[in-house]
Amino acid sequence: MHENGNFLPRLISWNLTFSCNLRCPHCYIDASESAGAGELSTAEGKELIDQIAEVSKPILILSGGEPLLRDDLFELAHYAAKEKGLTVGLGTNGTLISDSVARDLKSCGVSAVAVSLDSSSPERHDAFRGVKGAWKRALEGIAACRRNGIAVQVNTTVTQQNYGEIYEIMKLAERVGATAFHLFFLVPTGRGVKMKDISAEKYEQMLAEVLQKVAAGKTKLALRPVCAPQFMRIALQQKGLDLKKRRWTRGCLAGLTYCRIYPTGEVTPCPYLPLKVGSVRETHFKEIWFNSPVLKSLRDFDNLKGKCGVCEYRAVCGGCRARAYGLTSFVDVCGGLQEPAELSGDFLAEEPWCPYIPLGREEGEEGEREERGDKN
């Protein structure tokens, strides 16, 4: 996680553009058909890559919006992978990937492509994504990647609509040749603030069942839950899971080994925490990464509040900082960012969607009851 006492970025998501050809109700960046004003230019993008490479050699995920709508995508990917030695991945809806696009991605150094699938049913996926034919084109994009030697990861966000078919989506991912599956849990940010989430108990049940399938060897996919850091606690509570083998180090990585670059150059702890900690147009990335007060506060687990602050799993879980912020926020920040001085929520609050009661909380509550003289 860190070297010589310094936390280093191991994974960076860069939202290249606000532009997208789909209309998903949970989009954390509130992407639309037209690109937003002020996106980093090609030259600024290369300067950003230079600055990142000065700090570490992370995995750089080029995302959006839809990153394939950026005319300079291949140029930026080539610069990061071939000239600066970064591992480059692509986060996409898959609908724009043809064989020629896949060949270009391969030649410019993109090592893996993550494609979002929200259902095993074409009709349900298309309804969620807002464009008819999106499911078919996404699967065609996956097939094009596989034919051209690019590893594929499938991303699925758990919603009320697809909760009952997650295992069918995982089977579909295996059938189309994906090697990894990331199970995302909804965070109330961007357009996602308007979606009704599943319950905390359902999250817990879903995580337990998925990890049981992993432990039992019922899936060949390399699986990782995202925005559900309590999976580390559940994994430790289960038998048959070798965490070291699976390279799971911690649940929430925001600000520790992970950050996001906004299309206009702002840096946030993760894509789902809309809190600006600096701008690469104003400050060198190295300065932001090592000296941001917000990032420093995230790296000190003693700052966590509520039950997260006393939880025996806080070093491996940490609670979702974005969900804590989103569900304690009193301002709709759909598609925008907030300055630290304008905080409307508490990113250090306890994870609101975790039902686990820490041992420390139980002992504390028992002590409080004794002091009050409560018998029950």
Side-chain angles (χ1 to χ4, degrees), residues 12 35 55 73 145 157 160 201 223 228 239 280 290 326 365:
I12 295 177
V55 177
L73 169 67
C145 287
T157 298
Q160 288 190 332
E201 290 71 25
L223 182 138
K239 296 180 179 179
V280 297
F290 287 117
E365 290 177 346

Side-chain angles (χ1 to χ4, degrees), residues 41-349:
S41 66
T42 304
E44 288 176 314
K46 289 183 177 181
E47 174 61 24
L48 168 62
I49 293 168
D50 288 340
Q51 294 184 14
I52 290 172
E54 288 181 29
V55 177
S56 66
K57 300 289 185 182
I59 297 172
L60 180 63
I61 306 298
L62 304 178
S63 183
E66 174 48 57
L68 285 166
L69 292 175
R70 278 274 303 222
D71 293 336
D72 58 357
L73 169 67
F74 302 116
E75 182 178 353
L76 291 170
H78 182 278
Y79 186 76
K82 300 290 189 178
E83 299 189 40
K84 291 298 175 177
L86 306 186
T87 300
V88 177
L90 185 74
T92 173
N93 58 47
T95 61
L96 302 178
I97 302 178
S98 60
D99 275 295
S100 62
V101 169
R103 284 192 293 270
D104 288 342
L105 290 172
K106 180 71 172 179
S107 65
C108 71
V110 172
S111 58
V113 169
V115 177
S116 298
L117 290 178
D118 300 298
S119 176
S120 56
S121 158
E123 293 78 16
R124 287 194 292 269
H125 176 92
D126 291 357
F128 187 77
R129 291 277 158 175
V131 174
K132 189 174 182 179
W135 188 91
K136 180 176 181 292
R137 288 156 55 196
L139 262 62
E140 290 173 348
I142 291 173
C145 287
R146 299 302 301 121
R147 283 193 296 270
N148 290 279
I150 301 177
V152 172
Q153 170 183 303
V154 167
N155 292 344
T156 297
T157 298
V158 179
T159 64
Q160 288 190 332
Q161 291 78 13
N162 68 7
Y163 182 84
E165 60 170 318
I166 295 301
Y167 306 123
E168 292 303 316
I169 301 174
M170 290 174 65
K171 291 177 183 177
L172 173 62
E174 287 188 329
R175 286 198 302 271
V176 299
T179 56
F181 183 77
H182 281 200
L183 189 62
F184 285 73
F185 288 78
L186 189 66
V187 177
T189 188
R191 291 202 290 263
V193 298
K194 300 178 182 179
M195 290 188 66
K196 186 176 181 180
D197 205 353
I198 62 174
S199 68
E201 290 71 25
K202 282 192 173 184
Y203 271 130
E204 190 88 357
Q205 180 182 353
M206 170 65 70
L207 288 168
E209 290 179 357
V210 167
L211 292 176
Q212 285 170 8
K213 287 185 180 293
V214 173
K218 294 184 178 180
T219 179
K220 297 178 182 178
L221 297 167
L223 182 138
R224 181 181 173 91
V226 181
C227 301
Q230 56 266 46
F231 87 88
M232 286 293 289
R233 165 181 55 80
I234 297 171
L236 287 169
Q237 291 172 330
Q238 292 187 4
K239 296 180 179 179
L241 270 174
D242 186 340
L243 300 187
K244 291 183 179 180
K245 182 179 179 181
R246 300 183 187 284
R247 299 182 180 179
W248 292 340
T249 57
R250 194 174 193 267
C252 184
L253 303 176
L256 279 64
T257 58
Y258 180 42
C259 70
R260 181 268 297 267
I261 312 295
Y262 207 58
T264 46
E266 292 83 1
V267 180
T268 72
C270 84
Y272 308 96
L273 182 51
L275 181 58
K276 174 183 173 180
V277 300
S279 170
V280 297
R281 280 179 163 156
E282 303 167 359
T283 309
H284 196 289
F285 176 77
K286 183 177 183 179
E287 173 70 18
I288 297 171
W289 178 261
F290 287 117
N291 295 316
S292 159
V294 170
L295 297 185
K296 283 184 175 181
S297 69
L298 288 168
R299 294 164 190 166
D300 184 352
F301 306 151
D302 288 338
N303 290 327
L304 296 176
K305 301 176 183 178
K307 65 181 181 181
C308 285
V310 298
C311 184
E312 64 272 28
Y313 293 102
R314 64 178 181 168
V316 296
C317 171
C320 177
R321 298 299 95 217
R323 189 175 292 111
Y325 185 80
L327 292 180
T328 57
S329 177
F330 301 102
V331 178
D332 183 354
V333 292
C334 182
L337 302 179
Q338 286 188 296
E339 298 280 354
E342 303 170 343
L343 287 181
S344 62
D346 189 351
F347 61 89
L348 294 171

